[in-house]
């Protein structure tokens, strides 16, 4: 198919695929009541057509905004492309967003129509109805629990499609006319930024932005129509937009939707996907799960794991440094694969993975090494929502764990005098919705996008990202070091879920540690330690000793001036609802710095302990009182 970037749109790509594949090939697949239900390309097209005409009949038109809120499902994709076919713009929200966050985003982006998955999401909107004066329609997908809802703003997804189907029978040419009117420079989606350094903003991305970037990505990391992909992450994250919406329309592979989030990993094992793009948090969680299971396994399995993993790690070191492995290492790696790695990959659903990608944040080298050790071809990518997601990516045979790879075809990278990474490509966004000042701040006069990241290009053209410019540490000897690198190494421990490192040339490095409550709680139980609350667990001497061992392990691999001198365990779990994490799981450093400033100051001051007595208000209005003593530990 010849692609004219000035004319291409998602509805046009969908129409082409429906004509090419018809009912013969599954475009989507969803598990329901334990059975995988396929949706052909023709069915995909007809659902989008009926929904688009239904929306059009209800008053949705050119330039209008449609928000999608809920877990990933085929209806989410139908809604996005239907909105675009009707001349509007789609924006996805995180399914776990609070009603205040949802209402704020609806106002921010002037949303008039919402596709809500279920009663829970509908309630978020109805509770804020008086505030949302511009909201015209709420279209709910699941009818369960909606019998007694009679608000005039509500209409079911099925009823909307029925309206559209009747409209198509009366005016069979209308949908084709709407689709034909779309152009490549039309805004396709408003994609929300992560909000790591402030409130999320809405990046305006055109069809041309998205398709050009996806074509470049496919050239660097080839995909084909026989591939399978499992949709695991919210469509509000750009990476999921790329893999579940844009690339399948261009390539024709099948997107699979798990039955529910709790069964996602088991469902992935059934599908055996060839492609996977996920956040570092997911890869870290998978690696931690393996190590946790090994801790609970039989002595023989632990022996096999501890004996064979070093072989895989040595082989991974060769792969990641470009050093040819010796013959003896190849033979040992073969037997390690047969005895351990093959079965391990099967249990994780990664047997058929050809291309595994990580993006959205930095992934620790330990985690990266772990996956290459077991034979998963994990590759880093780097980019920003504002440039349609990707500017750099590892290529097969050229994976270097210390870098994020080479620029994509058509992408340019340069480093300015401050060491900041600047990028430019056809994927560069139109700007932030309703925020010209913020747009001017991230774009240079000659059209380069500022990343806010410090990095450098090596002799081979590979980009290395050091850290956010404001987070680079200045050590006591005047040298610079990445806080992110230390934090990633700490998170490789199965006992640690979050870490925040502080320090400058006038002080030693200190760390705030967030423990993994599930793993640490089990360790406490195995060691016959009793506790009532999370705060009780974090204050226990034995738990502080356990974390001290993990911090010392990380220190062993760090330069002398970059070693952590003192740490404290945070007395509660970090929570996105309280603004401590983004919805993609990244820490909001400024917020955490502010909330836990008492601990940070105590660590720098050399205190032994801090008494905490405070109340916490949750998003549902409930409050909790925490009274505990936090120990300051010196390594």
């Amino acid at each position: 198919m010849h692609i004219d970037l000035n004319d291409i749109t998602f509805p046009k790509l969908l129409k082409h695929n429906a004509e090419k594949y018809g009912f013969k090939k599954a475009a989507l697949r969803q598990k329901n009541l334990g059975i995988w239900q396929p949706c052909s390309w023709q069915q995909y097209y007809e659902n989008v057509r009926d929904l688009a005409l239904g929306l059009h009949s209800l008053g949705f038109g050119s330039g209008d905004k449609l928000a999608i809120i809920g877990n990933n499902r085929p209806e989410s994709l139908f809604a996005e492309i239907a909105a675009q076919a009707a001349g509007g713009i789609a924006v996805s929200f995180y399914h776990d967003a609070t009603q205040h966050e949802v209402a704020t985003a609806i106002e921010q982006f002037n949303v008039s129509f919402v596709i809500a998955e279920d009663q829970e999401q509908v309630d978020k909107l109805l509770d804020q109805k008086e505030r949302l004066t511009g909201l015209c329609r709420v279209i709910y997908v699941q009818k369960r629990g909606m019998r007694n809802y009679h608000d005039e703003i509500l209409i079911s997804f099925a009823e909307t499609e029925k309206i559209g189907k009747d409209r198509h029978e009366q005016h069979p040419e209308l949908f084709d006319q709407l689709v034909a009117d779309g152009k490549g420079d039309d805004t396709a989606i408003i994609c929300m930024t992560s909000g790591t350094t402030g409130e999320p903003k809405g990046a305006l991305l055109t069809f041309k932005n998205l398709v050009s970037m996806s074509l470049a990505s496919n050239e660097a990391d080839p995909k084909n129509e026989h591939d399978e992909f499992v949709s695991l992450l919210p469509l509000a994250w750009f990476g999921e937009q790329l893999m579940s919406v844009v690339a399948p329309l261009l390539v024709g592979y099948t997107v699979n939707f798990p039955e529910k989030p709790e069964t996602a990993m088991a469902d992935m094992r059934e599908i055996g996907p060839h492609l996977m793009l996920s956040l570092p948090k997911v890869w870290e969680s998978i690696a931690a799960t393996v190590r946790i299971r090994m801790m609970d396994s039989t002595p023989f399995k632990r022996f096999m794991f501890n004996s064979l993993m070093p072989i895989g790690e040595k082989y991974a070191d060769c792969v990641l440094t470009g050093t040819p492995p010796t013959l003896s290492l190849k033979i040992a790696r073969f037997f390690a694969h047969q005895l351990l790695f093959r079965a391990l990959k099967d249990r994780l659903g990664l047997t058929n993975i050809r291309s595994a990608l990580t993006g959205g944040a930095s992934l620790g080298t330990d985690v990266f090494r772990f996956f290459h050790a077991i034979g998963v071809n994990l590759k880093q990518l780097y980019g920003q929502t504002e440039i349609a997601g990707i500017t750099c990516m590892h290529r097969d045979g050229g994976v270097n764990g210390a870098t994020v790879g080479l620029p994509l075809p058509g992408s340019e990278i340069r480093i300015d005098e401050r060491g900041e990474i600047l990028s430019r490509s056809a994927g560069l966004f139109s700007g932030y919705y309703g925020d010209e000042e913020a747009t001017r701040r991230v774009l240079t006069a000659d059209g380069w996008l500022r990343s806010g990241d410090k990095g450098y290009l090596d002799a081979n053209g590979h980009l290395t990202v050091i850290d956010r410019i404001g987070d680079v540490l200045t050590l006591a000897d005047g040298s610079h070091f990445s806080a992110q690198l230390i934090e990633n190494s700490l998170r490789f421990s199965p006992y640690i879920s979050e870490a925040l490192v502080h320090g400058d040339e006038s002080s030693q490095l200190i760390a705030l540690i967030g423990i993994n409550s599930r793993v640490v709680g089990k360790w406490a139980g195995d060691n016959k330690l009793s506790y009532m609350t999370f705060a009780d667990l974090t204050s226990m001497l034995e738990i502080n000793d356990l974390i001290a061992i993990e911090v010392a392990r990380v220190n062993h691999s760090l330069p002398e001036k970059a070693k952590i001198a003192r740490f404290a365990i945070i007395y509660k779990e970090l929570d996105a609802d309280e603004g401590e994490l983004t919805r993609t799981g990244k820490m909001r450093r400024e917020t955490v710095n502010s909330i836990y400033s008492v601990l940070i100051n105590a660590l720098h001051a050399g205190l032994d302990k801090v008494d905490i007595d405070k109340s916490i208000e949750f998003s549902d209005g409930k409050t909790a009182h925490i009274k505990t003593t936090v120990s300051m530990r010196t390594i």
Side-chain angles (χ1 to χ4, degrees), residues 86-191:
I89 302 168
V91 54
S92 294
F93 298 159
Y94 289 99
H95 71 276
D96 57 349
T98 64
Q99 65 177 28
H100 172 73
E101 289 173 329
V102 170
T104 299
I106 286 174
E107 289 180 322
Q108 180 181 356
F109 304 130
N110 297 312
V111 169
S112 56
F113 278 61
V114 175
I115 303 287
E117 179 187 20
D118 53 21
Q119 181 187 16
E120 177 188 357
Q121 306 300 347
V122 169
D123 285 343
K124 292 178 184 178
L125 299 162
L126 295 184
D127 287 347
Q128 299 280 320
K129 186 182 174 184
E130 291 185 4
R131 173 182 172 184
L132 303 175
T133 56
L135 191 58
C136 301
R137 287 284 184 172
V138 175
I139 302 169
Y140 56 91
V141 178
Q142 294 183 347
K143 295 184 179 181
R144 183 177 180 181
M146 299 296 298
R147 180 177 297 176
N148 296 320
Y149 283 61
H150 304 295
D151 197 294
E152 71 280 357
I153 204 172
L154 296 174
I155 185 171
S156 73
F157 194 93
E159 187 178 349
T160 307
E161 283 196 321
K162 176 65 167 58
I163 293 171
K165 191 171 185 177
D166 293 342
R167 186 82 179 274
H168 176 65
E169 291 174 356
Q170 297 166 5
H171 303 282
E173 77 293 341
L174 178 57
F175 183 69
D176 286 341
Q177 291 174 357
L178 291 172
V179 171
D181 288 341
K183 301 299 177 186
D185 286 326
D186 293 343
T187 299
I189 61 173
I190 300 173
C191 198

Side-chain angles (χ1 to χ4, degrees), residues 551-602:
V551 174
R553 173 188 60 80
V554 171
N555 274 350
H556 185 70
S557 63
L558 296 172
E560 187 61 34
K561 298 297 183 182
K563 295 183 187 297
I564 297 167
R566 309 187 77 218
F567 77 89
I569 301 176
I570 301 173
Y571 48 83
K572 63 174 286 294
E573 293 184 277
L574 300 187
D575 193 339
D577 285 351
E578 295 173 47
E580 297 163 335
L581 302 174
T582 68
R583 290 293 168 187
T584 57
K586 290 192 285 187
M587 184 190 295
R588 285 192 164 115
R589 301 181 71 94
E590 290 184 11
T591 302
V592 173
N593 285 341
S594 175
I595 293 175
Y596 302 101
S597 59
V598 171
L599 300 185
I600 293 171
N601 294 336

Side-chain angles (χ1 to χ4, degrees), residues 269-499:
R269 186 183 180 193
E270 292 180 8
I271 292 296
H274 305 93
L275 312 169
M276 184 173 176
L277 167 60
S278 214
L279 293 160
K281 279 288 182 185
V282 174
W283 295 110
E284 290 168 358
S285 176
I286 294 172
T289 298
V290 171
R291 297 194 299 277
I292 292 164
R293 287 177 178 173
M294 284 300 116
M295 290 161 61
D296 293 337
S297 64
T298 63
F300 176 72
K301 287 183 178 179
R302 284 200 301 271
F303 170 77
M304 292 290 288
F305 184 82
N306 293 332
S307 299
L308 297 177
M309 271 303 294
I311 296 172
E313 289 169 347
K314 287 180 182 177
Y315 191 86
D317 290 338
C318 292
V319 171
L320 298 177
T321 58
T323 306
T326 63
L327 178 61
S328 61
L329 181 55
K330 287 181 180 180
I331 294 171
R333 173 65 171 69
F334 171 80
F335 284 107
H337 173 75
Q338 298 298 319
L339 294 170
L340 175 65
F341 302 148
R342 182 173 61 178
L344 181 55
K345 287 201 297 180
D346 178 62
R347 289 295 298 272
L348 297 174
L350 302 176
T351 297
N352 298 327
I353 287 288
R354 185 182 73 252
S355 173
L357 300 170
T358 178
S362 172
L363 181 68
T365 54
D366 291 329
V367 179
F368 204 73
R369 185 178 183 232
F370 170 85
F371 283 101
H372 279 273
I374 68 173
V376 175
N377 183 30
L378 184 59
K379 295 176 282 189
Q380 292 259 29
L381 56 83
Y382 172 78
Q384 297 165 252
T385 302
E386 293 88 344
I387 199 160
I390 305 176
T391 49
C392 291
M393 180 191 294
H394 282 142
R395 312 298 202 269
D396 288 334
V399 178
N400 183 330
T403 77
V404 292
L406 296 165
L408 291 185
S411 292
E412 301 175 80
I413 297 288
R414 73 178 175 89
I415 311 298
D416 73 4
E417 62 280 357
R418 296 193 306 154
E420 183 177 7
I421 302 167
L422 306 181
S423 55
R424 186 168 64 182
S425 77
L428 189 61
F429 76 145
S430 308
Y432 295 120
Y433 185 87
D435 199 337
E436 294 182 5
E437 178 57 33
T439 303
R440 283 194 291 270
R441 285 199 300 268
V442 298
L443 293 176
T444 66
D446 50 352
W448 290 84
L449 175 68
R450 298 186 183 278
S451 67
D453 294 325
K454 190 179 182 69
Y456 62 89
L457 292 164
D458 66 18
N460 298 315
H462 284 251
L463 177 66
T464 295
V465 181
I466 299 172
D467 208 335
R468 299 293 295 175
I469 289 178
D471 297 335
V472 175
L473 299 170
T474 301
L475 304 179
D477 60 1
S479 63
H480 298 289
F481 204 79
S482 169
Q484 191 171 249
L485 188 149
I486 305 173
E487 292 161 358
N488 287 340
S489 297
L490 287 166
R491 285 198 298 268
F492 186 66
S493 165
Y495 304 111
I496 297 174
S497 62
E498 286 298 341

Side-chain angles (χ1 to χ4, degrees), residues 1 3-10 12-13 183-184 207 211:
M1 175 188 180
I3 292 179
D4 179 359
L5 290 175
N6 293 317
D7 188 58
I8 200 65
T9 65
F10 295 169
K12 289 177 182 178
L13 284 170
K183 301 299 177 186
F207 294 110
V211 171

